[in-house]
Amino acid sequence: MKKWRSYRSKTTHKNKHSSIANDEVALLAARLEFFIPKLMVMMKPWQWLMYLFFWSLFVTITKRQDLVTGSDFAIFFAGYFFQNVISILPVLYLIDYLRPIFKSMSNVRVSVYIIALFMTSSAVTMILVQLVMINFDWLKYDTRTFIIDVMLDSIVGGGFTLVFILYFLRRYMELNALKASFEDKLGAQNDMIKARIAPHFFFNTVNTLIALMDSNPARASKLLEHVSALFRASFNGAREISFEEEIALCEHYIAIESSRLADKLIVNWSLPEEDIMYDMVITSLTLQSVLEKMLLNVVEMTTETIDIHIKVTWEQHRVIITITVQLPSKTLMVIYDLQQHMDFYIQTERLRAYFGDSATINSTVTTEQIITKINYPLQDVGL
């Protein structure tokens, strides 16, 4: 028997690694948390050691003309490798440890601190390695040469650190620009949906309310509750919500339109079990906006009663929502015109922004019915 984990449990901070959707905004937000990535996560310790090993070998080879014997080569290589390890790895761990403090500072200030850390670490370890080599008579002591070597090593360490910081800053700015572009795109799509919903829907609803004020005040009050819930959701912007919330929004919308359309509309739902549906998510107003288009282009164009059947399944890590609309038998509806109106480009783009490029909304129009399928990936961690 499956052990279902709730939608709210999966999206809490403690369970943030149990991703249930490819939420691109969340991924970008994680990357934009701080301009320097977690260095010890970016590469594992053994990978850093391999990098330092080959870098030390490369530097040793470039100085082979100053190394007379093989033992001189081995001593220089071992000393340089040891110095790199004890000067770089501890600082990388320290930077990751100080991330909570660094995130509250400006990028310039953080950069100065990090460069100072690497320069200080390079100087201290260079002094340590030089003293050890002098103590074992592997290196002749000369005060001037000793000071110059320490200063040069510190400057080189600071220079390499600056190069990497500039790289991270550039990547950080590119991600910021990508995030801004992404949010602008979603905002524009949401504005288009709001602009489309508002004119016809708002005025039709106001007219219905006016008619009910005198004849049925209780029903008018209930209708206002539905209107308030739906408009609040439409102005919250594009976001991922639980499937239960989206169903509730659809029911608000259907209740509003049913007050105006009287007996012309019948909606049947085939939904998964409650514990399964509790785990599901979708972008807000996706299903509601598809239903709205059906009402505008079919229900309002006939005097006959229209049956709409909505079936929801979640199998093999994919959610499939099938909306079947029976076309009127007596009213003439041109299939070509209906096909032109069954365009869900905006809804598809919003869905793909959160669930990936495999998300689709396709509609098939025949002489008897319109079948629209909303299909998107959703990881089922209960399997």
Side-chain angles (χ1 to χ4, degrees):
M1 185 174 180
K2 290 183 180 180
K3 294 183 179 179
W4 295 98
R5 294 172 58 197
S6 72
Y7 162 72
R8 290 163 184 78
S9 171
K10 293 176 196 173
T11 52
T12 57
H13 178 73
K14 291 182 180 179
N15 293 287
K16 62 183 180 180
H17 296 298
S18 295
S19 176
I20 53 176
N22 184 19
D23 189 337
E24 198 165 338
V25 173
L27 290 173
L28 281 174
R31 293 174 188 171
L32 290 169
E33 182 183 40
F34 185 48
F35 80 96
I36 293 179
K38 291 184 178 180
L39 299 170
M40 295 311 294
V41 173
M42 186 174 69
M43 286 205 303
K44 297 184 183 298
W46 70 267
Q47 292 174 316
W48 282 109
L49 288 172
M50 288 291 291
Y51 171 80
L52 294 174
F53 176 86
F54 286 108
W55 172 249
S56 301
L57 183 62
F58 170 75
V59 173
T60 305
I61 291 172
T62 60
K63 294 188 176 183
R64 65 185 182 279
Q65 293 179 348
D66 300 329
L67 306 172
V68 180
T69 63
S71 60
D72 290 339
F73 184 93
I75 290 170
F76 182 88
F77 167 72
Y80 194 68
F81 175 67
F82 177 73
Q83 180 201 345
N84 282 331
V85 170
I86 63 174
S87 67
I88 293 176
L89 288 185
V91 176
L92 297 181
Y93 277 109
L94 183 60
I95 291 171
D96 286 350
Y97 178 76
L98 295 175
R99 280 175 68 86
I101 299 173
F102 284 156
K103 283 189 291 185
S104 62
M105 301 179 184
S106 66
N107 291 343
V108 174
R109 190 176 177 186
V110 171
S111 301
V112 171
Y113 281 145
I114 291 176
I115 291 172
L117 277 173
F118 274 103
M119 291 184 70
T120 303
S121 177
S122 296
V124 171
T125 54
M126 184 65 174
I127 291 171
L128 176 63
V129 170
Q130 292 267 39
L131 290 176
V132 169
M133 294 179 74
I134 290 169
N135 185 60
F136 283 96
D137 290 328
W138 294 337
L139 184 70
K140 292 183 179 180
Y141 176 74
D142 180 76
T143 304
R144 183 172 177 274
T145 303
F146 184 88
I147 294 173
I148 291 174
D149 286 346
V150 171
M151 291 181 63
L152 282 175
D153 195 73
S154 180
I155 292 170
V156 169
F160 273 105
T161 305
L162 178 61
V163 169
F164 280 103
I165 285 176
L166 291 175
Y167 167 75
F168 290 138
L169 277 170
R170 180 179 176 182
R171 183 171 174 267
Y172 180 74
M173 292 171 65
E174 289 174 349
L175 286 173
N176 260 316
L178 178 61
K179 180 176 180 287
S181 172
F182 178 79
E183 289 178 340
D184 288 344
K185 182 179 178 181
L186 285 183
Q189 291 170 351
N190 196 57
D191 289 343
M192 289 176 68
I193 287 180
K194 287 189 290 187
R196 180 182 56 77
I197 289 175
H200 83 276
F201 181 72
F202 179 75
F203 291 112
N204 287 339
T205 304
V206 168
N207 290 331
T208 305
L209 283 169
I210 292 172
L212 290 173
M213 284 295 185
D214 295 327
S215 62
N216 195 336
R219 190 177 176 188
S221 176
K222 190 66 177 176
L223 184 60
L224 274 174
E225 292 179 11
H226 292 306
V227 172
S228 174
L230 187 61
F231 270 85
R232 190 184 305 115
S234 69
F235 284 92
N236 276 339
R239 61 193 180 96
E240 180 187 292
I241 63 173
S242 70
F243 202 83
E244 290 176 323
E245 292 177 82
E246 179 70 2
I247 295 297
L249 291 175
C250 291
E251 290 177 341
H252 286 305
Y253 174 72
I254 291 168
I256 295 167
E257 291 291 60
S258 293
S259 298
R260 184 172 58 87
L261 298 171
D263 298 327
K264 288 172 58 178
L265 177 63
I266 298 175
V267 179
N268 297 303
W269 296 87
S270 295
L271 300 174
E273 295 178 10
E274 187 176 342
D275 57 350
I276 298 176
M277 195 167 67
Y278 192 71
D279 288 338
M280 298 169 66
V281 292
I282 192 172
T283 47
S284 61
L285 299 174
T286 297
L287 179 55
Q288 183 275 330
S289 59
V290 171
L291 287 176
E292 182 183 13
K293 188 163 284 193
M294 300 301 177
L295 266 66
L296 279 173
N297 294 284
V298 179
V299 182
E300 290 192 2
M301 298 300 171
T302 181
T303 57
E304 297 181 41
T305 300
I306 300 299
D307 285 312
I308 298 179
H309 185 77
I310 304 163
K311 182 179 180 181
V312 181
T313 59
W314 186 17
E315 297 176 356
Q316 301 300 320
H317 304 302
R318 295 196 74 85
V319 174
I320 300 175
I321 307 169
T322 305
I323 304 105
T324 305
V325 181
Q326 296 298 325
L327 294 179
S329 57
K330 297 178 182 178
T331 306
L332 177 63
M333 288 192 172
V334 181
I335 295 177
Y336 176 78
D337 290 340
L338 284 176
Q339 287 174 336
Q340 297 302 307
H341 287 105
M342 295 300 110
D343 176 19
F344 301 105
Y345 173 77
I346 295 173
Q347 291 86 346
T348 303
E349 287 298 303
R350 292 170 77 244
L351 201 62
R352 286 176 177 174
Y354 285 83
F355 298 97
D357 292 338
S358 65
T360 59
I361 303 179
N362 296 316
S363 195
T364 303
V365 182
T366 68
T367 56
E368 296 180 349
Q369 61 186 9
I370 301 173
I371 299 176
T372 302
K373 289 190 176 183
I374 303 172
N375 188 326
Y376 61 94
L378 184 62
Q379 185 71 22
D380 184 356
V381 297
L383 292 178

